[in-house]
Amino acid sequence: MAEYILTCCSTADMPRSFFETRNIPFVCFHFHMDDKQFDDDLGASMPFDQFYAKIAAGAMPTTSQVNVAQFLSFFEPFLKEGHDVLHISFSSGLSGSWNSACIARDELHEKYPDRKILVVDSLAASSGYGLFMDALADRRDAGASIDELQAWAEANKLNMHHWFFSTDLSHYKRGGRISATSALFGTLLGICPLLNMSFEGKLTPRRKVRGKQNVIHETVKEMEAHAQEGLA
């Protein structure tokens, strides 16, 4: 068993059971809804059915990143127990959480000079981030050292392809990403944006596809193309 702790952020969007069985502690982002703050603790504070019911009723959640103090509180118990920490952070292209983790790392290095705290910017999000954590946990369990796992993560993080689509343009309009007019005509035409993660870790629209079945087909084509590249 590795002598270090592999950690990540709750935005890896895997079930709680995944993190428990893979032995990956996670630090919670937060969301605000109905004038209250909740931990993004994978349905514990607010069950998912309630969360989506509130959105369907018109609630507009906003998110907040993990700050330095929260990272300090998250990392320090592991260090006190004598463990090193390898933290794989949510994409720096989408949040400042990676920077907060690095500041916390630097502060804790002064307090625990004999312990390693390594932070990797995953440049990933959601289930792609979760699949990356699964691959890292496999290598950790196979005996990779903390330095070997950090090196593998840095060398391979851009090999994770994140392709996804949306059938609902309302949140793009609410967030100011598209105009109300574009949202209206896009909805009437059945436009489903096809997006992926750029090498800078940002969500990038790639194509506008008409119809859910067509965008599913395009997503599969992209997956197949990149799979063939990997076999070449």
Side-chain angles (χ1 to χ4, degrees):
M1 179 65 66
E3 293 299 319
Y4 59 92
I5 307 296
L6 175 65
T7 68
C8 68
C9 302
S10 61
T11 42
D13 287 347
M14 299 292 271
R16 177 177 288 273
S17 58
F18 166 82
F19 296 105
E20 292 172 349
T21 57
R22 297 310 322 254
N23 191 26
I24 304 174
F26 60 90
V27 61
C28 291
F29 271 60
H30 314 280
F31 66 93
H32 299 262
M33 184 181 280
D34 297 336
D35 298 321
K36 296 180 181 178
Q37 178 174 291
F38 300 87
D39 286 342
D40 176 28
D41 51 13
L42 310 178
S45 296
M46 181 184 292
F48 291 126
D49 57 347
Q50 292 182 23
F51 177 79
Y52 288 111
K54 286 179 178 291
I55 291 177
M60 182 60 181
T62 58
T63 59
S64 59
Q65 68 187 43
V66 186
N67 61 37
V68 175
Q70 290 159 344
F71 271 116
L72 290 170
S73 297
F74 178 64
F75 290 146
E76 189 162 20
F78 304 128
L79 305 174
K80 282 184 176 180
E81 293 170 357
H83 298 293
D84 296 331
V85 176
L86 172 58
H87 181 70
I88 312 299
S89 175
F90 183 55
S91 173
S92 64
L94 299 175
S95 168
S97 59
W98 173 77
N99 187 58
S100 295
C102 290
I103 294 172
R105 173 202 62 198
D106 294 344
E107 288 189 26
L108 289 168
H109 268 315
E110 296 182 6
K111 190 173 180 179
Y112 299 91
D114 296 330
R115 298 267 60 84
K116 286 185 179 181
I117 313 167
L118 307 180
V119 179
V120 172
D121 180 2
S122 71
L123 299 176
S126 196
S127 55
Y129 181 15
L131 290 172
F132 188 49
M133 295 308 303
D134 195 38
L136 290 168
D138 284 343
R139 284 159 179 79
R140 175 203 61 194
D141 294 347
S145 70
I146 187 171
D147 294 308
E148 290 170 338
L149 197 60
Q150 180 199 30
W152 189 90
E154 293 287 7
N156 289 277
K157 62 188 181 183
L158 294 181
N159 292 333
M160 180 63 67
H161 294 278
H162 307 63
W163 286 95
F164 61 99
F165 63 89
S166 175
T167 58
D168 183 354
L169 301 180
S170 61
H171 293 288
Y172 294 95
K173 181 184 73 174
R174 287 179 181 176
R177 294 178 182 272
I178 60 175
S179 68
T181 302
S182 295
L184 174 61
F185 282 103
T187 299
L188 291 174
L189 293 172
I191 297 298
C192 301
L194 179 63
L195 307 91
N196 75 346
M197 296 287 287
S198 71
F199 285 167
E200 291 74 39
K202 298 179 180 180
L203 301 181
T204 305
R206 296 301 183 184
R207 288 193 292 282
K208 299 175 183 177
V209 183
R210 190 170 182 179
K212 183 176 180 180
Q213 291 302 315
N214 288 333
V215 76
I216 290 174
H217 180 67
E218 289 298 315
T219 303
V220 172
K221 281 176 59 178
E222 291 292 347
M223 294 167 62
E224 289 175 340
H226 290 293
Q228 290 301 319
E229 288 177 6
L231 294 173

